[in-house]
Amino acid sequence: MEAAAAPRRDVRGRAVCPPDGCREESSPERKVYMDYNATTPLEPEVIQAIAEAMREAWGNPSSSYLADEKGSPDLLNMSRLSMDVGLGERPRDEIAGSPGILSNNLVIHSVVKHFHENQTSKRDAVECHSHVEGAKPHFITCTVEHDSIRLPLEQLVKEQVAAVTFVPVSKVSGRAEADDILAAVRPTTSLVTIMLANNETGVIMPIPEISHRIKALNQRRAAAGLPPVLVHTDAAQALGKRRVDVEDLGVDFLTIVGHKFYGPRIGALYVRGLGELTPLYPMLFGGGQERNFRPGTENTPMIAGLGKAAELVAQNCEAYAAHMRDIRDYLEERLEAEFDKRIHLNSQFPGAERLPNTCNFSIRGAQLQGHVVLAQCRTLLASVGAACHSDQGDQPSPVLLSCGIPFDVARNAIRLSVGRSTSRTEVDLVVQDLKQAVAQLEGQA
């Protein structure tokens, strides 16, 4: 009797059968997912928290009565508290439910509005500098920021609403250095926004140093009658891979994105001393939820899932990071052993800390553009960089070019990002898959 074929497996190892059953399908190549910087699967505990909230906390949190046994408002407060465990702050400093892009835009929008309101109320103090900047708010960011920061700022410049300085990252460290950020400050500088960790190289930015120096600068600005400079960091890539504490970072705003740390596809915005120390203005109107800053009925199940994901990070962050670092280092060792001098590790910069899970590399060769190699792979599921740049074809990543990676090397880049359950066996499969893809593209298969 002929043995039944093994069921096909998805990227998490679960059996997937065709509509007419598993017996009709032979087992194709195993797939290995290494694109965790793009998105992550939900942890089972997160799925459970979401399901329980959908079943038992279905009431409108804004209602004056309890529509369910557990009470949605209580669940939302507990979920915020869980996020605070990971951030080291208070529940009242967070606006929950916003995607990362909306949070980033909300910060930028608020700073523009605050600048103009401050200009109106303190016109005499501002006018003494208006001949320098034309009374526009000035933003400072860097050349490797995510599009949800770069594009809104570019739009403000296009509309002549604001001035923006894009500070180049160091070609030695891959970082936006504090000296360069401080050198860009002007009298009307209103916000410095620098990501905590780059999504393509994994390089950690020196946010604590930048914040500390901006705070010292603000004391001198106050004496001169100038408004303070606020600091924002998009922590989307860092959360879940390293400790993130807003007190250590010293920032005024911090963006949280759930689906980067095994949570649902919503996020939150941390604001230090919301409405008291740090200004925030709504972009949308039509409801009083989230203290009027983010109107719309709260998505209780997703917020519950976000809180559970943050709780898991708070409890297990060191273990997660240690495992990912071990797997990432093993991956780079295997790549160097297999491809020798042909490999270029694009994410290794002298003296720069990086995320424990991120490996960006190129295999030198005229036919080995990153997207071409990945298209040839039968096992590996990964990307050449940010998902929002997937339409760029064989154009090299602007992030890598900004970091000083040569054009022909950057064009061949592949970003592999490992996860909490990635194994050494999977690394071996991926390296073998890459070897076969390269051989086939170079006509050696």
Side-chain angles (χ1 to χ4, degrees):
M1 181 176 179
E2 185 177 352
R8 180 168 58 87
R9 300 276 173 177
D10 67 8
V11 297
R12 299 191 68 189
R14 298 170 296 194
V16 179
C17 296
D20 55 349
C22 291
R23 291 178 299 173
E24 301 299 324
E25 185 175 42
S26 61
S27 177
E29 295 287 337
R30 176 180 177 180
K31 299 296 183 182
V32 177
Y33 181 76
M34 284 194 180
D35 205 15
Y36 289 90
N37 281 6
T39 197
T40 58
L42 295 176
E43 286 282 13
E45 296 93 332
V46 173
I47 296 174
Q48 182 179 355
I50 293 172
E52 288 179 357
M54 294 179 74
R55 183 173 58 250
E56 301 176 12
W58 49 266
N60 190 325
S62 300
S63 297
S64 58
Y65 54 86
L66 285 180
D68 49 81
E69 293 181 2
K70 289 192 174 181
S72 296
D74 290 340
L75 181 58
L76 290 180
N77 288 334
M78 290 179 63
S79 298
R80 294 183 203 280
L81 183 59
S82 295
M83 282 186 276
D84 294 329
V85 170
L87 293 176
E89 262 295 325
R90 300 165 296 174
R92 69 185 189 88
D93 288 336
E94 291 161 7
I95 303 298
S98 297
I101 288 177
L102 182 57
S103 292
N104 287 346
N105 276 263
L106 180 58
V107 170
I108 293 169
H109 164 87
S110 294
V111 169
V112 170
K113 188 169 181 63
H114 182 68
F115 175 88
H116 289 297
E117 287 200 357
N118 187 62
Q119 182 187 32
T120 300
S121 62
K122 299 180 180 180
R123 184 170 301 276
D124 291 341
V126 175
E127 279 184 347
C128 65
H129 299 287
S130 62
H131 67 283
V132 178
E133 305 297 338
K136 296 178 186 176
H138 174 238
F139 292 79
I140 299 173
T141 188
C142 72
T143 53
V144 299
E145 286 295 318
H146 190 268
D147 278 357
S148 59
I149 292 292
R150 180 180 64 83
L151 293 180
L153 291 179
E154 289 180 347
Q155 184 64 27
L156 291 180
V157 173
K158 181 179 179 180
E159 296 173 357
Q160 299 184 346
V161 173
V164 180
T165 298
F166 290 90
V167 175
V169 295
S170 166
K171 290 179 170 53
V172 175
S173 67
R175 308 191 316 172
E177 299 294 358
D179 285 345
D180 297 327
I181 298 297
L182 269 292
V185 173
R186 304 176 185 176
T188 53
T189 298
S190 301
L191 181 73
V192 169
T193 173
I194 304 292
M195 59 178 23
L196 183 51
N198 186 262
N199 50 312
E200 294 190 34
T201 64
V203 168
I204 307 296
M205 302 296 177
I207 301 302
E209 180 186 359
I210 292 171
S211 297
H212 177 76
R213 293 181 62 177
I214 290 293
K215 183 177 180 179
L217 175 65
N218 281 338
Q219 294 178 349
R220 300 193 295 273
R221 286 171 67 90
L226 294 172
V229 177
L230 299 171
V231 180
H232 165 251
T233 190
D234 182 344
Q237 285 299 335
L239 279 161
K241 301 164 190 169
R242 70 193 305 271
R243 281 291 172 191
V244 175
D245 189 311
V246 291
E247 291 302 322
D248 292 339
L249 295 172
V251 295
D252 301 294
F253 304 98
L254 182 142
T255 298
I256 302 164
V257 179
H259 74 96
K260 303 293 187 180
F261 57 96
Y262 293 74
R265 290 182 179 176
I266 65 166
L269 175 65
Y270 162 81
V271 186
R272 183 183 298 279
L274 176 58
E276 298 174 4
L277 301 177
T278 307
L280 193 71
Y281 298 83
M283 292 178 64
L284 306 174
F285 299 87
Q289 294 86 358
E290 298 298 301
R291 289 152 289 177
N292 290 310
F293 294 115
R294 201 277 188 184
T297 302
E298 294 94 339
N299 190 338
T300 306
M302 295 301 109
I303 294 174
L306 182 65
K308 175 56 69 173
E311 180 183 327
L312 293 173
V313 167
Q315 295 170 352
N316 304 295
C317 189
E318 283 79 9
Y320 293 155
H323 171 77
M324 289 186 284
R325 182 176 293 105
D326 175 73
I327 297 299
R328 190 273 315 276
D329 290 349
Y330 179 67
L331 169 63
E332 292 182 345
E333 291 170 6
R334 291 286 291 110
L335 287 170
E336 289 182 310
E338 193 62 58
F339 296 102
D340 196 22
K341 295 181 179 180
R342 299 187 66 187
I343 202 81
H344 186 276
L345 296 176
N346 303 320
S347 51
Q348 289 189 2
F349 293 89
E353 182 187 0
R354 57 177 170 146
L355 294 174
N357 79 318
T358 305
C359 169
N360 193 307
F361 69 95
S362 299
I363 305 171
R364 291 182 174 91
Q367 307 101 319
L368 303 182
Q369 291 89 352
H371 72 101
V372 175
V373 173
L374 287 175
Q376 199 66 43
C377 289
R378 302 180 65 183
T379 298
L380 174 61
L381 299 176
S383 63
V384 298
C388 54
H389 293 157
S390 59
D391 60 346
Q392 290 185 345
D394 63 351
Q395 293 300 307
S397 162
V399 168
L400 296 182
L401 294 177
S402 295
C403 293
I405 305 300
F407 184 95
D408 59 334
V409 176
R411 190 175 56 178
N412 288 14
I414 296 173
R415 181 191 67 182
L416 300 187
S417 47
V418 303
R420 298 173 185 175
S421 61
T422 307
S423 67
R424 289 191 172 210
T425 298
E426 289 177 319
V427 168
D428 292 336
L429 289 171
V430 163
V431 173
Q432 182 63 25
D433 193 30
L434 288 166
K435 180 182 178 181
Q436 292 176 351
V438 169
Q440 187 160 352
L441 287 170
E442 294 185 330
Q444 299 172 5

